[in-house]
């Protein structure tokens, strides 16, 4: 913070102390930590003059799931994807398709068995291969959302890829799914799932900023949007502010 801005902030604080009013509930050392605090403390102008405000860390949401699990599909389609669409500038999403599957080695290769049968293993593998091939969440998440929102997840995969990533051939994904790469990717998901602490008891299993608690899980399932808005420490996105400002149920009135 430049000296002039620092002096202005401290003078403002001192006046408040003399008048018996505290300008804000935060100590001066935090006034310029983000725009929300700076605005509440009425020193936003001084903070912006002194230095650019550092963006806060995005909220990390990790979903451990199965491709054919009804509850997993419901959370991904109705909570996770819509929240990400609205708040992708303040949140990161990690998808780990594996869930309650099991693995064993046979003749030097990993073999997987899944809770909802071989089709689920194929769905898990397709989604893992999509992530590996497309790399960017902005590219593969819409394809996975399309799959999981379809009536039949596996048959929808090829069409979803065609719609959202027309320059990627289905043969590329199939090669991954039926080759050694797909097995390696699924084994990696098995390791990530086995490393959960506490161990997962069901799916969907949701981590918030790398942490699992019953309370966070319940909040995420009830309204992930509100949870992300409340946990983000930086300047709130417009979508969050609009949500906070809504005090009544919107209605279309009769003329």
């Amino acid at each position: 913070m430049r000296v002039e801005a620092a002096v202005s902030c401290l003078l403002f604080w001192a006046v408040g102390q003399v008048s018996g009013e505290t300008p804000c509930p935060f100590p001066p050392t935090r006034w310029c930590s983000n725009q929300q605090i700076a605005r509440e403390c009425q020193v936003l102008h001084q903070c912006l003059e002194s230095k650019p405000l550092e963006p806060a860390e995005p909220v990390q949401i990790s979903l451990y799931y199965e491709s054919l699990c009804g509850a997993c599909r419901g959370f991904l389609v109705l909570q996770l994807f819509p929240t990400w669409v609205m708040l992708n500038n303040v949140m990161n999403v990690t998808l780990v398709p594996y869930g309650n599957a099991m693995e064993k080695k046979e003749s030097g290769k990993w073999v997987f068995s899944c809770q909802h049968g071989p089709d689920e293993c194929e769905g898990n593998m397709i989604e893992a291969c999509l992530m590996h091939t497309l790399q960017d969440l902005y590219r593969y998440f819409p394809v996975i959302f399309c799959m999981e929102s379809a009536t039949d997840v596996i048959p929808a995969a090829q069409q979803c890829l065609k719609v959202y990533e027309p320059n990627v051939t289905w043969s590329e994904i199939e090669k991954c799914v039926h080759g050694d790469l797909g097995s390696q990717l699924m084994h990696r998901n098995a390791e990530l799932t086995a490393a959960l602490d506490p161990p997962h008891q069901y799916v969907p299993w949701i981590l918030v900023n790398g942490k699992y608690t019953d309370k966070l899980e319940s909040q995420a399932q009830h309204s992930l949007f509100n949870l992300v808005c409340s946990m983000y420490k930086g300047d709130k996105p417009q979508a969050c502010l609009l949500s906070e400002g809504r005090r009544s149920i919107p209605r279309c009135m009769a003329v």
Side-chain angles (χ1 to χ4, degrees), residues 19-39:
S19 64
E21 299 177 359
T22 304
C24 73
F26 303 96
T29 53
R30 292 190 58 198
W31 285 0
C32 290
S33 59
N34 63 58
Q35 289 191 27
Q36 185 178 359
I37 293 177
R39 189 177 289 111

Side-chain angles (χ1 to χ4, degrees), residues 61-78:
I61 303 295
S62 301
L63 175 63
Y64 291 75
Y65 70 107
E66 299 167 347
S67 61
L68 299 187
C69 161
C72 300
R73 295 176 64 190
F75 177 75
L76 189 151
V77 170
L78 300 177

Side-chain angles (χ1 to χ4, degrees), residues 62-209:
S62 301
L63 175 63
Y64 291 75
Y65 70 107
E66 299 167 347
S67 61
L68 299 187
C69 161
C72 300
R73 295 176 64 190
F75 177 75
L76 189 151
V77 170
L78 300 177
Q79 291 279 357
L80 184 57
F81 187 78
T83 298
W84 176 76
V85 167
M86 292 183 285
L87 301 177
N88 57 73
N89 57 327
V90 300
M91 68 181 289
N92 288 334
V93 172
T94 299
L95 301 174
V96 185
Y98 187 79
N100 299 322
M102 300 181 70
E103 66 172 357
K104 63 179 179 179
K105 250 188 177 178
E106 292 182 358
S107 303
K109 293 186 177 182
W110 289 108
V111 177
F112 304 94
S113 59
C114 297
Q115 185 173 19
H116 300 94
D119 283 351
E120 182 167 79
C121 284
E122 184 179 1
N124 292 346
M125 195 86 76
I126 289 171
E127 294 184 3
C129 286
L130 284 168
M131 292 182 226
H132 177 81
T133 302
L134 300 177
Q135 293 292 313
D136 187 348
L137 179 69
Y138 285 82
R139 296 180 65 192
Y140 64 72
F141 200 6
V143 183
I144 292 173
F145 165 76
C146 176
M147 288 175 58
E148 295 294 344
S149 60
T151 302
D152 295 312
V153 174
I154 310 304
Q158 188 171 354
Q159 281 302 113
C160 290
L161 181 68
K162 187 176 181 180
V163 169
Y164 288 100
E165 291 291 332
N167 295 324
V168 179
T169 64
W170 180 246
S171 61
E172 291 179 64
I173 306 302
E174 279 191 314
K175 183 179 178 180
C176 171
V177 170
H178 300 298
D180 291 339
L181 177 57
S183 293
Q184 292 169 12
L185 295 173
M186 198 52 49
H187 173 59
R188 177 56 179 157
N189 285 352
E191 291 181 322
L192 291 171
T193 304
L196 286 169
D197 184 17
H200 85 285
Q201 301 169 22
Y202 48 80
V203 287
W205 193 257
I206 305 159
L207 304 187
V208 181
N209 290 334

Side-chain angles (χ1 to χ4, degrees), residues 185-241:
L185 295 173
M186 198 52 49
H187 173 59
R188 177 56 179 157
N189 285 352
E191 291 181 322
L192 291 171
T193 304
L196 286 169
D197 184 17
H200 85 285
Q201 301 169 22
Y202 48 80
V203 287
W205 193 257
I206 305 159
L207 304 187
V208 181
N209 290 334
K211 180 181 179 181
Y212 173 87
T213 67
D214 290 340
K215 182 178 179 180
L216 287 172
E217 168 97 13
S218 176
Q219 289 175 320
Q221 292 272 18
H222 179 70
S223 177
L224 182 65
F225 178 88
N226 288 341
L227 178 62
V228 172
C229 284
S230 67
M231 294 199 69
Y232 183 64
K233 303 303 181 185
D235 203 30
K236 300 294 184 184
Q238 188 68 16
C240 293
L241 296 176

